[in-house]
Amino acid sequence: MIIFLYGKDSYRRQEKRREILSQYKAKNADADMLALDLEEAPEDWKRAGEFLRQQSLFVSSKAVLITGSSEISEDDGFNKKEVKEWISILTSALSLPKTFIIISQESAPKVAFKFLLAEPVLVQEFPRLTGAEMEKFLRTRAKLLRLELQSAAWKFLLRYALSQAESSSAGLQELQKISLASFEQPISLSDVQKILAFNAYDESFAIALQLLRARDVSGRLLALSLLLFRGDEARYTFNLLGSLARGREAVLLAEYDEKIKGGEMDDETSLLGFALGV
């Protein structure tokens, strides 16, 4: 069996990996396990083959935990024979019910590894969360921490999380800090600001509002160019707009987001289309 986890949201991806590993250990207490980080040491791929070929007299199950797998490619300096052997090592596990390979990586698999996206591989993607998805994620975690935030405090925390590269992790870390502060609930914006200094975000926030409020295409394009000129990543700008948009604009951004996730468009093209109103 192969379980393939991938996507930009490393926190949720690794959380899922820990969950799978915990369930596996509970069912296979005596299992043989090997952990390999092929992003840091790609030459270790041969160890996986050696481990899986070894006969075990006292255990009935084996598991290989792999960080990265597509690094074993011709683009990364490996020859065709080595790539073919690595693919054979992975695919051999598909027909072995007591052999588990759990792969976690940020990027989608390269062409030679597209089989990782098809049955019988168990696949789950963890993309960066959008505004609505991030709010749902943080509210669920806040409930577990028994936290209640006022509306303004929620918006402030959400905007901060969406501005960070590791957005879900950043938002959760701030919730944990807020929990330790023992503020009176529902927690106010001023109390959250005691924990979280978030001044760098203000200008991007103001320009994003300017874009959404512009009455003509030229005004929207000017605001978009200002956001990109600031050096903000296109995905960050897209998520920021998604957290602020309402009505038709929120629907339009959601449609663009589906096209991005489906590979039809990229973030930059979607932002331009949104600014043009098409």
Side-chain angles (χ1 to χ4, degrees), residues 52-71:
L52 293 174
R53 284 191 293 268
Q54 290 172 355
Q55 296 295 319
S56 299
L57 298 177
F58 304 105
V59 298
S60 59
S61 179
K62 287 188 173 188
V64 184
L65 311 178
I66 300 172
T67 300
S69 64
S70 296
E71 284 73 14

PDB file of all heavy atoms in Angstrom, residues 52-71:
ATOM      1  N   LEU A  52      12.993  -3.207   2.172  1.00  0.00           N
ATOM      2  CA  LEU A  52      11.806  -3.962   1.781  1.00  0.00           C
ATOM      3  C   LEU A  52      12.139  -5.389   1.345  1.00  0.00           C
ATOM      4  O   LEU A  52      11.316  -6.298   1.485  1.00  0.00           O
ATOM      5  CB  LEU A  52      11.066  -3.228   0.661  1.00  0.00           C
ATOM      6  CG  LEU A  52      10.442  -1.884   1.060  1.00  0.00           C
ATOM      7  CD1 LEU A  52       9.857  -1.178  -0.150  1.00  0.00           C
ATOM      8  CD2 LEU A  52       9.368  -2.086   2.123  1.00  0.00           C
ATOM      9  N   ARG A  53      13.344  -5.602   0.840  1.00  0.00           N
ATOM     10  CA  ARG A  53      13.740  -6.947   0.393  1.00  0.00           C
ATOM     11  C   ARG A  53      14.169  -7.854   1.543  1.00  0.00           C
ATOM     12  O   ARG A  53      14.172  -9.075   1.410  1.00  0.00           O
ATOM     13  CB  ARG A  53      14.873  -6.842  -0.626  1.00  0.00           C
ATOM     14  CG  ARG A  53      14.420  -6.387  -2.013  1.00  0.00           C
ATOM     15  CD  ARG A  53      15.521  -6.569  -3.040  1.00  0.00           C
ATOM     16  NE  ARG A  53      16.640  -5.685  -2.778  1.00  0.00           N
ATOM     17  CZ  ARG A  53      16.777  -4.472  -3.314  1.00  0.00           C
ATOM     18  NH1 ARG A  53      15.849  -4.003  -4.132  1.00  0.00           N
ATOM     19  NH2 ARG A  53      17.833  -3.723  -3.048  1.00  0.00           N
ATOM     20  N   GLN A  54      14.540  -7.261   2.662  1.00  0.00           N
ATOM     21  CA  GLN A  54      14.999  -8.055   3.812  1.00  0.00           C
ATOM     22  C   GLN A  54      13.860  -8.929   4.345  1.00  0.00           C
ATOM     23  O   GLN A  54      12.737  -8.467   4.522  1.00  0.00           O
ATOM     24  CB  GLN A  54      15.498  -7.138   4.926  1.00  0.00           C
ATOM     25  CG  GLN A  54      16.798  -6.419   4.597  1.00  0.00           C
ATOM     26  CD  GLN A  54      17.146  -5.386   5.655  1.00  0.00           C
ATOM     27  OE1 GLN A  54      16.375  -5.147   6.588  1.00  0.00           O
ATOM     28  NE2 GLN A  54      18.297  -4.756   5.515  1.00  0.00           N
ATOM     29  N   GLN A  55      14.169 -10.174   4.614  1.00  0.00           N
ATOM     30  CA  GLN A  55      13.196 -11.092   5.194  1.00  0.00           C
ATOM     31  C   GLN A  55      13.132 -10.888   6.708  1.00  0.00           C
ATOM     32  O   GLN A  55      14.159 -10.830   7.381  1.00  0.00           O
ATOM     33  CB  GLN A  55      13.574 -12.543   4.890  1.00  0.00           C
ATOM     34  CG  GLN A  55      13.545 -12.894   3.411  1.00  0.00           C
ATOM     35  CD  GLN A  55      12.146 -12.814   2.837  1.00  0.00           C
ATOM     36  OE1 GLN A  55      11.181 -13.231   3.475  1.00  0.00           O
ATOM     37  NE2 GLN A  55      12.039 -12.276   1.632  1.00  0.00           N
ATOM     38  N   SER A  56      11.919 -10.747   7.238  1.00  0.00           N
ATOM     39  CA  SER A  56      11.743 -10.559   8.677  1.00  0.00           C
ATOM     40  C   SER A  56      11.080 -11.796   9.274  1.00  0.00           C
ATOM     41  O   SER A  56       9.980 -12.184   8.858  1.00  0.00           O
ATOM     42  CB  SER A  56      10.870  -9.325   8.944  1.00  0.00           C
ATOM     43  OG  SER A  56      11.493  -8.173   8.428  1.00  0.00           O
ATOM     44  N   LEU A  57      11.759 -12.385  10.241  1.00  0.00           N
ATOM     45  CA  LEU A  57      11.247 -13.615  10.848  1.00  0.00           C
ATOM     46  C   LEU A  57      10.218 -13.352  11.933  1.00  0.00           C
ATOM     47  O   LEU A  57       9.346 -14.185  12.195  1.00  0.00           O
ATOM     48  CB  LEU A  57      12.414 -14.409  11.440  1.00  0.00           C
ATOM     49  CG  LEU A  57      13.481 -14.883  10.434  1.00  0.00           C
ATOM     50  CD1 LEU A  57      14.604 -15.596  11.179  1.00  0.00           C
ATOM     51  CD2 LEU A  57      12.859 -15.801   9.379  1.00  0.00           C
ATOM     52  N   PHE A  58      10.305 -12.186  12.581  1.00  0.00           N
ATOM     53  CA  PHE A  58       9.489 -11.963  13.774  1.00  0.00           C
ATOM     54  C   PHE A  58       8.431 -10.874  13.603  1.00  0.00           C
ATOM     55  O   PHE A  58       7.696 -10.575  14.535  1.00  0.00           O
ATOM     56  CB  PHE A  58      10.390 -11.602  14.948  1.00  0.00           C
ATOM     57  CG  PHE A  58      11.458 -12.629  15.210  1.00  0.00           C
ATOM     58  CD1 PHE A  58      12.780 -12.384  14.860  1.00  0.00           C
ATOM     59  CD2 PHE A  58      11.131 -13.860  15.777  1.00  0.00           C
ATOM     60  CE1 PHE A  58      13.764 -13.339  15.088  1.00  0.00           C
ATOM     61  CE2 PHE A  58      12.114 -14.813  16.005  1.00  0.00           C
ATOM     62  CZ  PHE A  58      13.429 -14.563  15.666  1.00  0.00           C
ATOM     63  N   VAL A  59       8.383 -10.244  12.447  1.00  0.00           N
ATOM     64  CA  VAL A  59       7.372  -9.207  12.223  1.00  0.00           C
ATOM     65  C   VAL A  59       6.620  -9.519  10.933  1.00  0.00           C
ATOM     66  O   VAL A  59       7.146 -10.145  10.021  1.00  0.00           O
ATOM     67  CB  VAL A  59       8.006  -7.797  12.122  1.00  0.00           C
ATOM     68  CG1 VAL A  59       8.698  -7.431  13.416  1.00  0.00           C
ATOM     69  CG2 VAL A  59       8.980  -7.709  10.955  1.00  0.00           C
ATOM     70  N   SER A  60       5.374  -9.068  10.880  1.00  0.00           N
ATOM     71  CA  SER A  60       4.539  -9.368   9.716  1.00  0.00           C
ATOM     72  C   SER A  60       4.294  -8.149   8.840  1.00  0.00           C
ATOM     73  O   SER A  60       3.686  -8.261   7.776  1.00  0.00           O
ATOM     74  CB  SER A  60       3.184  -9.918  10.177  1.00  0.00           C
ATOM     75  OG  SER A  60       2.530  -8.972  11.019  1.00  0.00           O
ATOM     76  N   SER A  61       4.766  -6.977   9.277  1.00  0.00           N
ATOM     77  CA  SER A  61       4.479  -5.764   8.530  1.00  0.00           C
ATOM     78  C   SER A  61       5.699  -4.846   8.480  1.00  0.00           C
ATOM     79  O   SER A  61       6.520  -4.831   9.405  1.00  0.00           O
ATOM     80  CB  SER A  61       3.307  -5.010   9.176  1.00  0.00           C
ATOM     81  OG  SER A  61       3.023  -3.821   8.482  1.00  0.00           O
ATOM     82  N   LYS A  62       5.801  -4.094   7.382  1.00  0.00           N
ATOM     83  CA  LYS A  62       6.889  -3.130   7.219  1.00  0.00           C
ATOM     84  C   LYS A  62       6.309  -1.796   6.755  1.00  0.00           C
ATOM     85  O   LYS A  62       5.321  -1.751   6.021  1.00  0.00           O
ATOM     86  CB  LYS A  62       7.900  -3.611   6.175  1.00  0.00           C
ATOM     87  CG  LYS A  62       8.775  -4.757   6.628  1.00  0.00           C
ATOM     88  CD  LYS A  62       9.863  -5.016   5.597  1.00  0.00           C
ATOM     89  CE  LYS A  62      10.863  -6.053   6.114  1.00  0.00           C
ATOM     90  NZ  LYS A  62      12.020  -6.178   5.211  1.00  0.00           N
ATOM     91  N   ALA A  63       6.971  -0.711   7.190  1.00  0.00           N
ATOM     92  CA  ALA A  63       6.543   0.621   6.771  1.00  0.00           C
ATOM     93  C   ALA A  63       7.756   1.485   6.472  1.00  0.00           C
ATOM     94  O   ALA A  63       8.741   1.467   7.213  1.00  0.00           O
ATOM     95  CB  ALA A  63       5.695   1.282   7.859  1.00  0.00           C
ATOM     96  N   VAL A  64       7.671   2.222   5.355  1.00  0.00           N
ATOM     97  CA  VAL A  64       8.725   3.168   4.985  1.00  0.00           C
ATOM     98  C   VAL A  64       8.108   4.562   4.948  1.00  0.00           C
ATOM     99  O   VAL A  64       7.127   4.793   4.237  1.00  0.00           O
ATOM    100  CB  VAL A  64       9.339   2.841   3.611  1.00  0.00           C
ATOM    101  CG1 VAL A  64      10.495   3.788   3.319  1.00  0.00           C
ATOM    102  CG2 VAL A  64       9.805   1.395   3.560  1.00  0.00           C
ATOM    103  N   LEU A  65       8.669   5.464   5.732  1.00  0.00           N
ATOM    104  CA  LEU A  65       8.213   6.852   5.758  1.00  0.00           C
ATOM    105  C   LEU A  65       9.169   7.675   4.902  1.00  0.00           C
ATOM    106  O   LEU A  65      10.363   7.750   5.203  1.00  0.00           O
ATOM    107  CB  LEU A  65       8.190   7.388   7.184  1.00  0.00           C
ATOM    108  CG  LEU A  65       7.488   6.516   8.232  1.00  0.00           C
ATOM    109  CD1 LEU A  65       7.590   7.164   9.605  1.00  0.00           C
ATOM    110  CD2 LEU A  65       6.040   6.295   7.857  1.00  0.00           C
ATOM    111  N   ILE A  66       8.640   8.305   3.866  1.00  0.00           N
ATOM    112  CA  ILE A  66       9.493   9.006   2.907  1.00  0.00           C
ATOM    113  C   ILE A  66       9.094  10.467   2.818  1.00  0.00           C
ATOM    114  O   ILE A  66       7.921  10.791   2.589  1.00  0.00           O
ATOM    115  CB  ILE A  66       9.398   8.372   1.511  1.00  0.00           C
ATOM    116  CG1 ILE A  66       9.849   6.915   1.558  1.00  0.00           C
ATOM    117  CG2 ILE A  66      10.223   9.158   0.499  1.00  0.00           C
ATOM    118  CD1 ILE A  66       9.614   6.165   0.261  1.00  0.00           C
ATOM    119  N   THR A  67      10.069  11.345   3.010  1.00  0.00           N
ATOM    120  CA  THR A  67       9.859  12.764   2.736  1.00  0.00           C
ATOM    121  C   THR A  67      10.419  13.033   1.345  1.00  0.00           C
ATOM    122  O   THR A  67      11.626  12.951   1.124  1.00  0.00           O
ATOM    123  CB  THR A  67      10.587  13.647   3.767  1.00  0.00           C
ATOM    124  OG1 THR A  67      10.089  13.354   5.073  1.00  0.00           O
ATOM    125  CG2 THR A  67      10.380  15.125   3.458  1.00  0.00           C
ATOM    126  N   GLY A  68       9.527  13.308   0.394  1.00  0.00           N
ATOM    127  CA  GLY A  68       9.944  13.504  -0.998  1.00  0.00           C
ATOM    128  C   GLY A  68      10.124  12.170  -1.697  1.00  0.00           C
ATOM    129  O   GLY A  68      10.509  11.177  -1.077  1.00  0.00           O
ATOM    130  N   SER A  69       9.810  12.154  -2.974  1.00  0.00           N
ATOM    131  CA  SER A  69      10.032  10.937  -3.765  1.00  0.00           C
ATOM    132  C   SER A  69      10.409  11.294  -5.192  1.00  0.00           C
ATOM    133  O   SER A  69      11.175  10.583  -5.838  1.00  0.00           O
ATOM    134  CB  SER A  69       8.785  10.047  -3.773  1.00  0.00           C
ATOM    135  OG  SER A  69       7.713  10.690  -4.419  1.00  0.00           O
ATOM    136  N   SER A  70       9.883  12.405  -5.682  1.00  0.00           N
ATOM    137  CA  SER A  70      10.133  12.818  -7.061  1.00  0.00           C
ATOM    138  C   SER A  70      11.556  13.318  -7.274  1.00  0.00           C
ATOM    139  O   SER A  70      11.963  13.574  -8.410  1.00  0.00           O
ATOM    140  CB  SER A  70       9.139  13.908  -7.465  1.00  0.00           C
ATOM    141  OG  SER A  70       7.822  13.414  -7.464  1.00  0.00           O
ATOM    142  N   GLU A  71      12.306  13.494  -6.169  1.00  0.00           N
ATOM    143  CA  GLU A  71      13.693  13.940  -6.291  1.00  0.00           C
ATOM    144  C   GLU A  71      14.557  12.909  -7.009  1.00  0.00           C
ATOM    145  O   GLU A  71      15.632  13.225  -7.519  1.00  0.00           O
ATOM    146  CB  GLU A  71      14.288  14.235  -4.914  1.00  0.00           C
ATOM    147  CG  GLU A  71      13.838  15.543  -4.294  1.00  0.00           C
ATOM    148  CD  GLU A  71      12.399  15.495  -3.803  1.00  0.00           C
ATOM    149  OE1 GLU A  71      11.841  14.392  -3.706  1.00  0.00           O
ATOM    150  OE2 GLU A  71      11.834  16.568  -3.522  1.00  0.00           O
TER     151      GLU A  71
END
